[in-house]
Amino acid sequence: MIGLFLGDTDFPKIVLKRIKKLKKKYFIIDFSKNNLFAKEKNSYRISIGKFGKIIDLIKKQKSNKVLFAGKIAKPKFSALRLDLKGIYYMPSIIKAAKLGDAAIIKAIIEILKNEKIEVISSIYFNSELTARKGNYTNFKPSRADIKSINRGIRHLAKTNSYDHIQALIVKDNKMIVKEDNRGTRKMMSKLKKNSGGILIKFPKKKQDLRMDLPTIGIQTIKDCKKYGLKGIVLKSKKNIFLDKSKSIEFANKNKIFILIK
């Protein structure tokens, strides 16, 4: 029995579809904003403050492995109603929240580990959603583009381990905009049309790769076209790449490169 902590975005739906296809026994703890999985069998809506209830459910289902998929929004701590284990564990979550989303994830993993529950990779059943090194399109970055890309990658490597930054845009060997806690699309909306930049989207420094991997899909490539980006750069085996074939086809038609480093 596998426990699925499912949040927002399309990725959790793809994970669930694969679990069903493999005929794995599962239960869902629905952390999505709009209760997306209410109609699914064995689905439970439990607040993150109810750690006791969550842990009791996992043990009742005779499960010692869980998987997190999708965007899990940071809760409004003052509004949470806590049970006893929630009261016990919440201080570590609140302390982590001051450092950023990645720190919250690490704190939750440690709490579950303390309860003898293992968190497995979000792509454990969907390894096809990653990509290996290479240029995936007919269009390739120029030497000048490669110089800009390497500058951006070095900048990401120097960021704080718990920063929100998973993406930035470079042009002419300079960073022109960086991601914050509002996400990649909001970052791109700051660009002028025909910006000529390059999107780099990598995991956070020292990120726990079992959860919250940076994700792109067809919408990301369409946004690249909208703002006149030349290409997008991902990290080999460390990004979730949805709609891969459609994205590559769209990129080719619009002269956008997709490079996996």
Side-chain angles (χ1 to χ4, degrees):
M1 179 73 79
I2 182 80
L4 305 176
F5 286 72
L6 301 183
D8 294 295
T9 74
D10 290 335
F11 177 51
K13 298 172 188 175
I14 293 171
V15 171
L16 183 57
K17 185 177 179 180
R18 174 57 63 87
I19 295 287
K20 289 178 177 180
K21 187 175 181 179
L22 293 173
K23 297 182 179 179
K24 297 285 184 181
K25 292 183 178 180
Y26 68 90
F27 63 97
I28 296 169
I29 297 176
D30 187 350
F31 277 168
S32 65
K33 284 184 179 179
N34 297 313
N35 204 3
L36 296 177
F37 305 96
K39 295 181 180 179
E40 292 289 338
K41 66 175 184 179
N42 226 7
S43 180
Y44 303 86
R45 186 78 168 174
I46 307 175
S47 162
I48 197 170
K50 304 285 187 181
F51 273 112
K53 191 173 181 180
I54 290 171
I55 290 163
D56 286 346
L57 172 63
I58 293 170
K59 292 180 177 179
K60 183 180 178 181
Q61 297 285 351
K62 298 181 179 179
S63 172
N64 62 357
K65 287 184 172 62
V66 298
L67 177 157
F68 285 76
K71 180 70 174 176
I72 299 172
K74 182 164 67 177
K76 185 177 181 181
F77 294 110
S78 61
L80 289 178
R81 300 180 69 179
L82 308 178
D83 58 15
L84 288 176
K85 282 199 172 177
I87 293 170
Y88 179 74
Y89 285 125
M90 195 51 61
S92 65
I93 298 291
I94 293 172
K95 183 179 179 181
K98 295 176 182 178
L99 298 174
D101 293 348
I104 293 176
I105 289 169
K106 285 180 181 291
I108 291 173
I109 288 174
E110 284 302 310
I111 290 168
L112 293 171
K113 182 180 178 181
N114 188 55
E115 295 288 342
K116 305 292 190 291
I117 298 164
E118 179 187 359
V119 177
I120 63 173
S121 169
S122 60
I123 54 171
Y124 185 88
F125 298 102
N126 297 82
S127 59
E128 79 285 353
L129 294 180
T130 62
R132 297 177 181 274
K133 286 185 180 181
N135 199 94
Y136 279 68
T137 49
N138 300 332
F139 299 88
K140 298 180 180 181
S142 67
R143 287 185 179 181
D145 292 335
I146 292 295
K147 190 175 181 179
S148 295
I149 290 165
N150 290 339
R151 173 80 183 273
I153 291 172
R154 287 196 300 271
H155 181 83
L156 285 171
K158 292 177 182 178
T159 56
N160 185 298
S161 300
Y162 299 119
D163 278 349
H164 297 291
I165 299 172
Q166 285 186 313
L168 52 77
I169 293 171
V170 294
K171 180 183 180 182
D172 298 332
N173 206 27
K174 297 177 183 177
M175 273 76 65
I176 57 175
V177 64
K178 294 189 291 187
E179 185 180 51
D180 58 22
N181 62 341
R182 293 176 292 177
T184 304
R185 292 195 76 187
K186 190 67 176 178
M187 172 191 70
M188 293 172 74
S189 72
K190 299 175 183 178
L191 297 171
K192 295 178 181 179
K193 299 290 177 70
N194 302 314
S195 66
I198 299 165
L199 171 63
I200 304 173
K201 196 167 172 74
F202 271 32
K204 300 181 186 78
K205 183 180 176 182
K206 297 182 182 179
Q207 180 168 336
D208 192 308
L209 298 174
R210 287 172 289 181
M211 297 169 63
D212 192 32
L213 289 178
T215 302
I216 73 155
I218 187 66
Q219 186 59 56
T220 313
I221 310 302
K222 287 180 177 179
D223 287 339
C224 286
K225 179 192 175 186
K226 179 178 179 180
Y227 295 104
L229 296 185
K230 296 173 70 175
I232 182 168
V233 183
L234 308 175
K235 183 72 171 175
S236 174
K237 298 182 182 179
K238 294 181 181 179
N239 285 73
I240 294 170
F241 192 170
L242 306 176
D243 314 307
K244 198 178 295 181
S245 59
K246 288 182 180 179
S247 296
I248 293 169
E249 181 182 1
F250 185 89
N252 279 330
K253 286 181 179 178
N254 292 281
K255 300 182 180 181
I256 298 167
F257 67 78
I258 300 174
L259 176 65
I260 313 295
K261 294 284 282 183

